[in-house]
Amino acid sequence: GENVEQHPSTLSVQEGDSAVIKCTYSDSASNYFPWYKQELGKRPQLIIDIRSNVGEKKDQRIAVTLNKTAKHFSLHITETQPEDSAVYFCAASVRSQGNLIFGKGTKLSVKP
Amino acid sequence: GAGVSQSPSNKVTEKGKDVELRCDPISGHTALYWYRQRLGQGLEFLIYFQGNSAPDKSGLPSDRFSAERTGESVSTLTIQRTQQEDSAVYLCASSVTGSSNQPQHFGDGTRLSIL
């Protein structure tokens, strides 16, 4: 079945710097790749997603890139702010199934 | 509109007891998912309902776990004879359809603690 690997597990940046989180997936039939932000004790919140027919998507300071050949996708956060501090999860969904397979998460700390 | 609603928000019970967790999906969403999140870990898929189709139970960790859904509304996740390793946050999500490329929206979860 699908397996999603996420790196790094922790990431510390200075406010204003960029942060990049990378994920790889194993099943070439995966066609949907969302990213969730989870603050401590809160629900995971969808922040951006990308479908397999697109290579890049941007929403203000957040962007996601997808390389289907290499089976990896990345989250890019520019001009980081302290409120970006949270755990970020990538996930993949296989075309024939509905459920998401999640990476283990990246704890992002943005230092003022 | 209202988001995914889960109850109770917290549940503490003794080992060996049965527990029932409830999820109210977003109105109009036909697909409903249950996930488990152990402390400091990622989300683990448990079970998925899509409309009137048979549920995908492939993620249930043992036969102590079961879930039901009435039509396209409320779902309950039942854990029988709870064990300490069942302690986790149980998250429910819903999406408009069960298509693999539809966004899933999560509830706040039920934090289950087994003493």
Side-chain angles (χ1 to χ4, degrees):
Chain A
E2 174 67 287
N3 183 50
V4 176
E5 301 279 345
Q6 183 172 348
H7 300 280
S9 55
T10 60
L11 179 59
S12 182
V13 300
Q14 286 295 133
E15 182 177 1
D17 287 351
S18 295
V20 180
I21 303 170
K22 299 183 179 182
C23 289
T24 60
Y25 60 99
S26 60
D27 194 330
S28 56
S30 290
N31 67 339
Y32 175 64
F33 308 92
W35 286 88
Y36 286 85
K37 175 184 180 182
Q38 188 176 34
E39 296 176 39
L40 192 62
K42 300 286 182 66
R43 69 178 73 185
Q45 290 203 306
L46 179 68
I47 56 171
I48 196 166
D49 57 10
I50 191 167
R51 293 174 175 79
S52 58
N53 58 344
V54 174
E56 184 174 359
K57 184 176 177 181
K58 254 185 139 173
D59 183 3
Q60 299 182 347
R61 296 186 297 110
I62 294 172
V64 57
T65 58
L66 171 65
N67 182 327
K68 286 193 297 181
T69 303
K71 288 190 278 188
H72 68 69
F73 56 113
S74 300
L75 177 72
H76 304 253
I77 306 173
T78 59
E79 300 170 27
T80 53
Q81 300 166 5
E83 52 265 38
D84 294 330
S85 297
V87 178
Y88 290 81
F89 292 96
C90 64
S93 180
V94 176
R95 185 173 290 117
S96 59
Q97 302 167 7
N99 60 288
L100 294 171
I101 305 298
F102 283 84
K104 293 191 184 302
T106 296
K107 184 175 181 180
L108 174 65
S109 300
V110 180
K111 298 182 178 178
Chain B
V4 177
S5 177
Q6 291 188 245
S7 61
S9 53
N10 284 283
K11 177 73 177 178
V12 181
T13 193
E14 292 178 347
K15 178 182 168 181
K17 300 283 190 186
D18 298 352
V19 294
E20 258 191 19
L21 313 179
R22 176 187 169 107
C23 173
D24 277 283
I26 293 171
S27 178
H29 282 198
T30 63
L32 185 149
Y33 312 81
W34 284 97
Y35 295 88
R36 176 170 71 178
Q37 186 175 30
R38 291 197 166 111
L39 187 63
Q41 301 294 312
L43 283 75
E44 202 186 336
F45 165 68
L46 297 177
I47 188 168
Y48 151 51
F49 296 88
Q50 167 52 42
N52 295 317
S53 302
D56 175 354
K57 304 179 182 180
S58 60
L60 294 179
S62 79
D63 59 7
R64 296 185 296 105
F65 287 72
S66 63
E68 292 184 348
R69 187 181 186 194
T70 308
E72 294 185 350
S73 60
V74 172
S75 175
T76 54
L77 176 70
T78 301
I79 310 173
Q80 296 179 308
R81 305 181 303 281
T82 52
Q83 303 294 313
Q84 288 186 330
E85 62 263 27
D86 300 334
S87 295
V89 176
Y90 289 81
L91 289 157
C92 176
S94 70
S95 61
V96 173
T97 73
S99 174
S100 63
N101 64 0
Q102 290 298 309
Q104 296 183 21
H105 301 277
F106 284 85
D108 286 330
T110 294
R111 183 174 300 276
L112 177 64
S113 301
I114 309 299
L115 302 177

